[in-house]
Amino acid sequence: MAVASTTRFQRGPARPGLLRIAALPALVAALLLSVMASIVFGAADIRGETVWAALTAFDGTTEHLIIRTLRVPRALISMVVGAALGVAGGIMQGLTRNPLADPTILGLSAGAAFAVVAGVALLNIASLTAYTWFALAGAGATALSVYGLSAIGRDGPTPLKLTIAGAALTALLSSLTTGILIFNQRTLEEVRFWLAGSVAGRDLALLLHVLPYMGIGMALALALGRRITTLALGDDVARGLGQRTLWVKSLAVIAVVLLAGSAVAVAGPIGFVGLVIPHVVRFFVGSDYRWILPYAALLGAILLVLADVAARLVLQPLELPVGVMTALLGGPLFIYLAQHKVRG
Amino acid sequence: MSVRHLHLRGVPISALLLVLVACGAPAANTSSSPAASARSESAAAAAQSATAAFPLTIKHEAGETTITTAPTRVVTIGDEITEVVAALGIKPVGVAGRMQGGVVGGALGKTNYYTAEQIGAPTFVGSVTEPNIEAVAALNPDLILYLNYDDTIYSALAQIAPTLGYDLGKQARWQSVIVEIGRIWGREAQAAQVVRDFQADRDALRAELASIAAQSPRVTLLYLPDAQTTFVFNQEFALGGLIQDLGFTPTPPPDVPLENGLATISAEALATLDTDSVLTLRIAADGALERYPVEDVLDSLNVPVRRYVINPEQPYTGPISEQAYLENFAKLLKEQ
């Protein structure tokens, strides 16, 4: 991927700080409405009062179970995963100064997929919980390897070296994954649906496993906002302003691994959220990552929740994987970005 | 004739069904397989004197193929078609399938479904979706039987040897295919006997279940490969057809558009299910089965929900597998 100019995509229309503060509660409200929509709407036609009763006076009927065991978990998981991917994508674009960067540039998805596929083929892991831990470990190991490779050399982990190392490891791990699946059809059958990415069928216990990691990652990301803004101006500028760039990059990568790694571990690889959301946010709030990251969290959550609702309703009673909907929504915007935003 | 592709979410049906191997009752599996093959082989002994007339033209889902001499080196691509050939007493020299640990060009690896008596010691030539064309060619086959419908793969195989392509996903399709293939070796009588034996067992089980079917005719057959995916079948598909064979009515949720007898549905669609009982197919993992959220929804429907744990390597259809499915379905449907 080309490392684009730092200026073109970083600049957005400036907005007074008051507006940015005022818009946050509006976004929170929009997120709550989206989550409510995710709980209210689905393939089963359930009335509003029944939804409310399921949440407040659960009686074990089929409709109440659909609300509690199917819709509420996927609404919450969509929200958390979308927020994590949005923030991780914002950090990656600031860290690499590349408008086309997203969390997968560190090889997170490829590493998670390889770990799960290898686990199924070699160790016969079978439960979603096991998939989650293997995916988290695979994502983390891959990201650390990418960072380590890119750190070789006098310059340390530059954006270009990070991108190249990530692309190389992604290609290697994807090839190994494909190789295992070609020679092991049973593994293919067991993991194919996980590899498509989905927020369906997960219970909240799965989310609770990774929530501590996501929480630490989110706190770290938000704390790094100002430093990433400085780093996005260029390494030389950041160092000239007294920033310890190596520390900031290291902590930023850790935040991305915790956020995106956890997201992939729970929901499998879901694309476009980390790529598209930071650009949408940047258009409204400018180039200050102290605003970009919290807005990316909220918008990423809203996008994934609404994409999941759409995935359930478009072909009901059939369902599309949520990754297909995010691609349908993000793909055209990605093309627009590639054509208009990346300029010298 | 164009080949009809049976794909579900990009997964060939053969791969999908691969997962549906009976594992929950291994004793039942092993007891039914040898019984079926023993009956077949006794019929084979009687029928083996017949010879085929060549050249022989056979119509199949991929077109028409003319076979000029009796084949002695058969490669089967797909466990379901391997099973059909094995029931005729033919031992393939190469197979492609879902066997765990198979080494392309080498041994099958651990396969706990077919016995050596049934299929001999064929060479493993890859998976159903990605058979290794070079490994197939190296075996110098004179007949290839192909289960999947990838035109590119079919074309490549047809250049090596006469290739017949079959769609065994349709209800009871194997019963006509085995007779068609039996012509090649002059074993139509044996093939017909295999079919008659199966149908006799089917009719006997149907009679045993008649009173239950009269009271509770609707059975919803679901396949849950993982926590996020729910497949439903009707009688057009092989497994749903077995439910119908036993005298029941395969009953998917209303307004579900099924293609080739199956569909993936939202778990929420089960809320509208109007049925008398549910039969869920689950793959056996080492250890306890993970409970899926959709199973909580099923339990709330106030109809019997029975779980059929299947061996990941068992084919979804064929004279041997369907015998096991019939017996296990019948056992579960008898449960009160």
Side-chain angles (χ1 to χ4, degrees), chain B residues 259-310:
Chain B
E259 188 181 343
N260 300 317
L262 55 89
T264 40
I265 57 172
S266 165
E268 295 189 18
L270 299 172
T272 59
L273 196 54
D274 186 14
T275 189
D276 298 315
S277 68
V278 176
L279 194 54
T280 62
L281 305 172
R282 289 284 308 272
I283 310 162
D286 294 336
L289 278 174
E290 189 181 2
R291 186 167 175 84
Y292 296 155
V294 65
E295 293 179 292
D296 292 335
V297 175
L298 287 173
D299 286 344
S300 72
L301 295 176
N302 295 319
V303 296
V305 179
R306 298 165 182 120
R307 183 190 281 179
Y308 180 20
V309 179
I310 51 183

Side-chain angles (χ1 to χ4, degrees), chain B residues 102-116:
Chain B
V103 177
V104 172
L108 286 185
K110 57 174 184 175
T111 171
N112 62 350
Y113 195 67
Y114 298 121
T115 64

Side-chain angles (χ1 to χ4, degrees), chain A residues 42-44 60 62 65-66 70-71 124 126-128 182-186 189 192-193 198 200-202 312 317-319, chain B residues 9-11 15 18-19 100 104 127-128 226-229 255-256 264-266 268 271 285-286 290 293 296 300-301 312:
Chain A
T62 303
L65 273 166
I66 286 175
L70 299 181
R71 289 190 189 173
N124 286 320
S127 68
L128 263 183
I182 282 176
F183 288 108
N184 194 322
Q185 183 145 3
R186 213 181 90 192
E189 292 156 9
R192 180 180 286 271
F193 298 111
S198 175
R202 272 76 170 156
R312 276 181 273 161
L318 311 180
E319 276 193 24
Chain B
R9 295 177 62 169
V11 180
L18 270 173
V19 183
Q100 276 284 70
V104 172
S127 65
V128 173
D226 55 47
Q228 70 206 43
T229 314
D255 303 322
V256 170
T264 40
I265 57 172
S266 165
E268 295 189 18
D286 294 336
E290 189 181 2
D296 292 335
S300 72
L301 295 176

Side-chain angles (χ1 to χ4, degrees), chain A:
Chain A
M1 270 184 207
V3 178
S5 155
T6 60
T7 55
R8 176 81 188 179
F9 87 94
Q10 296 284 351
R11 263 203 317 263
R15 291 285 183 268
L18 206 58
L19 263 180
R20 284 186 286 196
I21 295 171
L24 268 178
L27 268 185
V28 171
L31 176 59
L32 288 174
L33 281 174
S34 304
V35 170
M36 280 169 51
S38 179
I39 295 172
V40 169
F41 298 113
D45 190 14
I46 300 178
R47 290 159 49 165
E49 53 264 36
T50 308
V51 173
W52 180 251
L55 297 172
T56 56
F58 180 71
D59 62 9
T61 56
T62 303
E63 289 180 331
H64 282 208
L65 273 166
I66 286 175
I67 298 297
R68 282 266 188 129
T69 63
L70 299 181
R71 289 190 189 173
V72 167
R74 72 192 286 174
L76 294 177
I77 288 171
S78 301
M79 181 180 73
V80 173
V81 167
L85 291 175
V87 171
I91 293 177
M92 284 309 304
Q93 289 177 9
L95 194 64
T96 61
R97 295 190 286 280
N98 183 346
L100 300 179
D102 72 357
T104 58
I105 213 171
L106 285 181
L108 291 168
S109 295
F114 174 72
V116 168
V117 167
V120 172
L122 302 175
L123 302 174
N124 286 320
I125 63 169
S127 68
L128 263 183
T129 306
Y131 284 19
T132 300
W133 290 119
F134 270 72
L136 195 54
T142 305
L144 290 176
S145 302
V146 167
Y147 189 79
L149 276 174
S150 65
I152 295 171
R154 192 179 51 184
D155 298 337
T158 64
L160 182 60
K161 286 159 72 179
L162 265 175
T163 305
I164 291 174
L169 266 185
T170 296
L172 172 65
L173 291 171
S174 299
S175 301
L176 291 174
T177 302
T178 303
I180 293 175
L181 294 176
I182 282 176
F183 288 108
N184 194 322
Q185 183 145 3
R186 213 181 90 192
T187 302
L188 169 67
E189 292 156 9
E190 290 183 33
V191 303
R192 180 180 286 271
F193 298 111
W194 184 88
L195 289 173
S198 175
V199 293
R202 272 76 170 156
D203 62 33
L204 285 177
L206 212 61
L207 180 64
L208 290 175
H209 288 318
V210 300
L211 212 50
Y213 304 100
M214 274 189 180
I216 294 171
M218 190 65 74
L220 189 55
L222 295 176
L224 286 172
R226 188 169 66 168
R227 289 167 179 79
I228 293 178
T229 305
T230 308
L231 192 62
L233 298 174
D235 279 23
D236 291 340
V237 173
R239 275 194 287 266
L241 290 171
Q243 190 182 90
R244 297 168 71 182
T245 55
L246 193 59
W247 269 111
V248 173
K249 288 177 186 176
S250 302
L251 290 172
V253 166
I254 290 172
V256 170
V257 170
L258 291 172
L259 288 167
S262 301
V264 172
V266 170
I270 295 178
F272 285 104
V273 177
L275 172 65
V276 164
I277 288 297
H279 288 282
V280 176
V281 166
R282 207 173 280 116
F283 182 78
F284 290 103
V285 305
S287 56
D288 187 344
Y289 280 82
R290 290 176 299 176
W291 293 104
I292 289 176
L293 296 181
Y295 271 80
L298 290 170
L299 263 185
I302 292 170
L303 171 66
L304 198 57
V305 169
L306 293 180
D308 184 51
V309 175
R312 276 181 273 161
L313 297 181
V314 160
L315 292 177
Q316 64 174 17
L318 311 180
E319 276 193 24
L320 288 175
V322 71
V324 173
M325 286 311 300
T326 57
L328 283 174
L329 296 172
L333 187 54
F334 176 82
I335 293 170
Y336 170 80
L337 290 176
Q339 285 186 334
H340 293 94
K341 289 289 186 178
V342 180
R343 289 181 188 168

